[in-house]
Amino acid sequence: GTDSGKTIISTIAAMALHADYWKPVQAGFPSDTSVVTTLSHGKIYCHPEQFVLNTPASPHAAAAIDEVHISIDDFNLPKTEKPLIIEGAGGIMVPLNKESLVIDIAIKFNLPIILVSNNYLGSINHTLLSIDYLNKRNLNTLGVIFNGPTNDSTEEIILAKSGLPCLLRVPQMPEKNLQTLIQLSAELKSKISELAG
C-alpha cells in the first residue's frame, strides 16, 4: 500500500539484482524515480515513467484531474538487457481507471511479484487479503518483504497463513545511507539465490 516502503524496497531489490527501475505511474511529487536515484547515488538506471500525474492521489483520480486517460494498453515494458524492478502505485487494488487496477500491469506482462508488508495495526488483515487476491488470480508471488520495526507475532502469522517465504526484513532506518542499502541488498540476493536452489 501507500507508504509501505515500496520505493526503498525497490531500490534494495534493484541493487541486489543489478537491475533497472521503472515506476509506470507517478502521482504527485517528489517522484519515486528521483528517490531511487538519490538513494542509490545514481547507481541504478531509472526508466522514465509512462504517466506523470500532478496530484498525490489514486492514479484514476489524479488522471481525471489532469484530464488524462490511463489505459492498460498504453503500457509497454522499457527496453533493457538487465532485470527490471517495477514499482506499483499504491496497493495492488488501486485503480488506474474505471476498469483496470495497478495489479493488471503485472498481469499483462506476467510478472513475478514481491509483496511489501509494513508492520502496523491492521497489516495482518491487509497483507493476507492481498495475498489471497494474488493467489486467486494465480499470480507468481515470490515472497514477502517486511518493512519497519519488527513484529515477530505479526510476521509469523502472515508467513504461516500465506505459506510464502520472508525474503527480507528491512528495519526502521532513520538514515537511509548507501552502505546500509548495500548490506540489505546482499541479504536479499542471498535469499533469492537460496530459494532458486
Side-chain angles (χ1 to χ4, degrees), residues 96-152:
L96 296 171
N97 54 43
K98 291 182 180 178
E99 298 82 32
S100 303
L101 306 170
V102 165
I103 193 61
D104 290 321
I105 297 172
I107 292 169
K108 175 179 179 175
F109 298 113
N110 193 29
L111 302 171
I113 294 160
I114 295 173
L115 194 66
V116 178
S117 179
N118 196 3
N119 287 325
Y120 58 87
L121 185 61
S123 69
I124 294 173
N125 181 58
H126 295 160
T127 303
L128 290 177
L129 282 172
S130 294
I131 293 167
D132 184 60
Y133 181 83
L134 295 171
N135 288 341
K136 285 179 177 172
R137 297 301 300 266
N138 294 314
L139 301 177
N140 178 17
T141 307
L142 301 179
V144 181
I145 293 181
F146 293 104
N147 183 46
T150 299
N151 184 323
D152 291 332

Side-chain angles (χ1 to χ4, degrees), residues 34-98:
S34 68
V35 173
V36 171
T37 300
T38 300
L39 287 172
S40 70
H41 292 241
K43 295 181 185 302
I44 296 169
Y45 181 78
C46 298
H47 295 270
E49 301 90 341
Q50 192 98 33
F51 291 94
V52 177
L53 308 167
N54 291 302
T55 306
S58 174
H60 81 291
I65 292 167
D66 287 356
E67 299 182 349
V68 171
H69 178 71
I70 298 175
S71 169
I72 199 70
D73 295 329
D74 293 330
F75 294 100
N76 295 297
L77 290 176
K79 295 189 185 307
T80 179
E81 299 298 317
K82 299 170 73 174
L84 182 65
I85 298 296
I86 302 171
E87 180 184 350
I92 62 173
M93 301 294 284
V94 166
L96 296 171
N97 54 43
K98 291 182 180 178

